[in-house]
Amino acid sequence: MYVDPPAPQPMRPGERPPATAGTDPLSVQPRAWEFNPEYQRLVNAWQAALPLLEGLTTALDKAYGLARSPQTWDAPVGSRYVEDIGEWRKRLALYRQAVLTSISDEAADTPRWIPSAAGAPHAFS
C-alpha cells in the first residue's frame, strides 16, 4: 500500500496574499496579488481524480476479497483469477501513485499567489 503524496491546498477563507516587505527602496508601489489560476487548476484536478481512484480501488478490493473466498471458486482455475486480480490491484496502486504524485509535484513547483496586472499602478495611466 502506498501513502498518497501531499495534496495541493485550495485557498482557505480569509487567506491573504504574501506580504511584500518594504526592504527594496525601488519597489515603493504596492503590488496586487491574485490566487494563481494554474494552482487552482491543480487543486481541481486532485479533487476530481481522487474520488475516481478511490472508487476504482474500492471496487477492485471488493472483487479481490470475493475472489479469495473459498465459496467463490470451486475449481483450481480460481487461483489464476485471484492472481490476475491481485496484479490489477498492484497496477492500480502504481497508477494512483503516479497520477497523484505528478499533481503534487506540479503543485509544489507552482506558486500559490502571483502578481496581478489588474489594479496594479501604472505610470502615465
Side-chain angles (χ1 to χ4, degrees), residues 23 69 83 87-88 102:
T23 58
S69 171
E83 290 173 9
E87 183 62 32
W88 295 338
S102 66

Side-chain angles (χ1 to χ4, degrees), residues 7 28-29 31 40-42 45 53 55 70 72-73 82 84 89 93:
V28 293
Q29 299 293 334
R31 181 170 255 179
Q40 184 61 44
R41 182 183 57 81
L42 294 168
L53 292 169
T72 304
W73 301 108
V82 171
D84 287 347
R89 289 177 69 219

Side-chain angles (χ1 to χ4, degrees), residues 45-115:
W46 181 282
Q47 291 173 346
L50 190 61
L52 296 174
L53 292 169
E54 287 287 340
L56 288 171
T57 302
T58 302
L60 204 50
D61 287 346
K62 182 179 177 183
Y64 184 71
L66 290 172
R68 292 187 63 197
S69 171
Q71 289 86 16
T72 304
W73 301 108
D74 194 19
V77 72
S79 63
R80 186 177 74 217
Y81 291 114
V82 171
E83 290 173 9
D84 287 347
I85 295 172
E87 183 62 32
W88 295 338
R89 289 177 69 219
K90 289 178 191 174
R91 289 180 184 180
L92 179 59
L94 290 172
Y95 179 72
R96 174 191 176 117
Q97 188 72 16
V99 168
L100 296 180
T101 298
S102 66
I103 294 172
S104 180
D105 288 349
E106 185 71 24
D109 294 339
T110 304
R112 288 175 57 85
W113 295 91
I114 57 172

